[in-house]
Amino acid sequence: METDCSTPDTTAPVTPGRLPSGTRLLHIGPHKTGTTSIQGALFAAKETMAVHGVDFPAHSRHPMEAALAVCGRPGMMGDVRPAERHWRRLADAVHATGERTSLVSSEFFADAPDAATVARVVDGLGRDRVHVLVTLRPLAKIMPSQWQQYVQNGLRMGYEDWLDHMLRRAPYEKPNPSFWRRHRHDRLIERWAGVVGAANLTVVVVDDRDRGGLMRTFESLLGLPGGLLEEVPDTANRSLTPAETEMLRILNREFRGNGLPDEIYSKLVRGGAVPRMKNVCRPASEEDRIRTPEWALEAAAAVGAEMAGRIGGLGVRVLGDPALLSARPSPSPSSDGAAPAVPRIDPEAAAQALYGVLAAVAADPGPTAGIRPVHRTPSRELVRVLGHRVLKRLRRA
């Protein structure tokens, strides 16, 4: 997708005032709204922020397990289900900051399904001191990134088919019910404001034309010196190209069709092939992006405008231009109405993905006497046996 928006330039943003000292700022995302970038910057500046009275109590850049546990959500495909101890560790670390200002950030808090779950999160951190921060971007920019993320977690559905289900097929819950729980932003904000109160919730509409804008907003809210937060390069967070995504989607189809255990997918695909491909291979150009069809852009803009209107009536503080929520990408110069070309995987990307799989697990040949040669073994039987052997080894690791 293109990064330029057809929305006209807005007036200069208003610098938000500092939150009261001792606030526990809870950034809940949602996904694909600059969360990885801000989490990396905050974690990198952890020690410097502490000098200025702001603590980042999480033990890692992103306390995903804690957020999933308290929200009652399962982990990623094949991962161990997050446990209550993950949440308790984070909550205890927050309380250990005492009267100092502290900050917790995870987009998975946006997966809290109802008011009772939101209340559990807020009460666990100290309800009287929590201020919730929500960052938002246009749906037109979120959709391709979120679909890619679902593919990286095992989704087999193509992009246009997925868009059709999310935008045209009521109740819009299949195959990913989490999408609208996260990205029906007006309802997300209403759900959280109903627990913490509208005065204790701030919405930041991210303007992608201002690359440092989100960092500066966090600095202002926390009372940090300007320029303290800096983006940390993260090649592992880049988007996959259309060809890379299509390769992974087809792999997901074969994986499911042969009944391999989810733990293998977590270890070899999401933990091996995908990060290797992202870290080593770089897209050839900005044009090598997933493109959203015109009908979906129109639908996303309409939903975005509706959400902006409802958010404006909730009484929460909104920083940035709500009109951006209905923005859509500028037409591509190369777009001529022709059918898109079939994506073709770069041999380098394919090789690196394969190497990532090989590097993710140590060889374990086991006894060979009396074993039928591989070339004489039916493929389905071979896949099944290999899968169980790798899983057995992973469980020993």
Side-chain angles (χ1 to χ4, degrees):
M1 289 188 64
E2 296 292 313
T3 55
D4 305 24
C5 286
S6 56
T7 305
D9 286 343
T10 59
T11 57
V14 177
T15 302
R18 178 179 181 174
L19 293 169
S21 179
T23 296
R24 290 173 179 169
L25 184 60
L26 176 62
H27 176 216
I28 66 169
H31 297 66
K32 308 305 175 184
T33 60
T35 53
T36 299
S37 178
I38 195 65
Q39 288 159 1
L42 291 166
F43 192 66
K46 181 176 181 176
E47 294 183 5
T48 308
M49 289 195 305
V51 174
H52 296 279
V54 179
D55 291 330
F56 189 82
H59 294 81
S60 63
R61 175 189 64 78
H62 177 202
M64 179 177 69
E65 293 86 357
L68 288 169
V70 71
C71 291
R73 310 302 299 166
M76 304 292 280
M77 176 180 169
D79 288 356
V80 176
R81 188 180 183 91
E84 177 67 16
R85 60 183 172 81
H86 293 115
W87 168 241
R88 286 268 43 96
R89 182 188 188 194
L90 177 62
D92 289 346
V94 170
H95 285 284
T97 63
E99 298 302 314
R100 291 166 60 86
T101 299
S102 59
L103 168 65
V104 171
S105 173
S106 173
E107 56 269 39
F108 285 95
F109 285 117
D111 284 353
D114 50 37
T117 306
V118 171
R120 184 173 181 233
V121 174
V122 173
D123 289 339
L125 299 178
R127 181 187 290 250
D128 59 333
R129 293 173 56 186
V130 168
H131 189 97
V132 174
L133 180 65
V134 183
T135 47
L136 301 181
R137 295 175 75 230
L139 277 176
K141 292 190 173 184
I142 287 173
M143 291 188 303
S145 297
Q146 186 69 89
W147 171 72
Q148 279 191 32
Q149 198 64 51
Y150 286 133
V151 171
Q152 292 176 50
N153 197 40
L155 180 68
R156 293 163 285 172
M157 185 177 288
Y159 186 42
E160 291 207 30
D161 194 12
W162 181 81
L163 288 171
D164 184 57
H165 279 73
M166 292 294 100
L167 294 168
R168 287 173 164 172
R169 301 195 187 187
Y172 317 109
E173 292 180 349
K174 294 181 179 180
N176 301 113
S178 64
F179 181 78
W180 288 116
R181 185 184 306 121
R182 299 167 178 174
H183 297 301
R184 184 69 204 203
H185 299 146
D186 50 347
R187 295 173 187 163
L188 171 70
I189 292 166
E190 185 176 43
R191 195 157 56 241
W192 282 81
V195 174
V196 299
N200 295 314
L201 192 148
T202 295
V203 175
V204 178
V205 181
V206 178
D207 188 342
D208 290 335
R209 296 166 298 184
D210 181 6
R211 291 191 60 86
L214 186 58
M215 303 288 180
R216 307 292 80 83
T217 298
F218 269 79
E219 289 168 351
S220 296
L221 289 171
L222 295 169
L224 297 171
L228 188 148
L229 298 178
E230 298 181 350
E231 187 170 355
V232 178
D234 184 8
T235 56
N237 192 47
R238 77 161 173 88
S239 296
L240 296 176
T241 67
E244 291 167 345
T245 311
E246 182 66 5
M247 178 184 72
L248 184 57
R249 189 183 69 81
I250 294 172
L251 173 62
N252 293 344
R253 188 178 65 199
E254 294 300 313
F255 186 93
R256 286 296 194 191
N258 285 285
L260 291 177
D262 289 350
E263 292 91 336
I264 293 179
Y265 189 92
S266 174
K267 178 72 174 182
L268 303 187
V269 180
R270 195 172 57 248
V274 173
R276 177 72 185 184
M277 196 162 50
K278 286 184 173 183
N279 283 322
V280 177
C281 304
R282 302 300 298 166
S285 71
E286 290 295 310
E287 289 297 308
D288 201 8
R289 301 288 182 91
I290 293 171
R291 306 208 179 278
T292 303
E294 187 68 20
W295 70 263
L297 292 176
E298 291 180 2
V303 175
E306 181 184 346
M307 293 192 300
R310 289 199 70 236
I311 291 170
L314 293 176
V316 300
R317 177 168 63 163
V318 179
L319 305 176
D321 183 8
L324 288 174
L325 298 181
S326 57
R328 47 188 295 173
S330 301
S332 169
S334 61
S335 177
D336 56 5
V342 176
R344 298 189 180 278
I345 188 70
D346 180 356
E348 175 72 13
Q352 294 298 342
L354 179 58
Y355 178 79
V357 171
L358 297 176
V361 62
D364 185 17
T368 58
I371 301 297
R372 181 170 36 179
V374 168
H375 67 276
R376 295 181 183 175
T377 305
S379 59
R380 283 189 175 273
E381 181 181 346
L382 180 62
V383 169
R384 184 172 58 253
V385 171
L386 177 62
H388 285 297
R389 285 183 179 178
V390 173
L391 178 60
K392 183 177 180 181
R393 179 170 179 81
L394 292 179
R395 286 172 173 167
R396 291 203 306 266

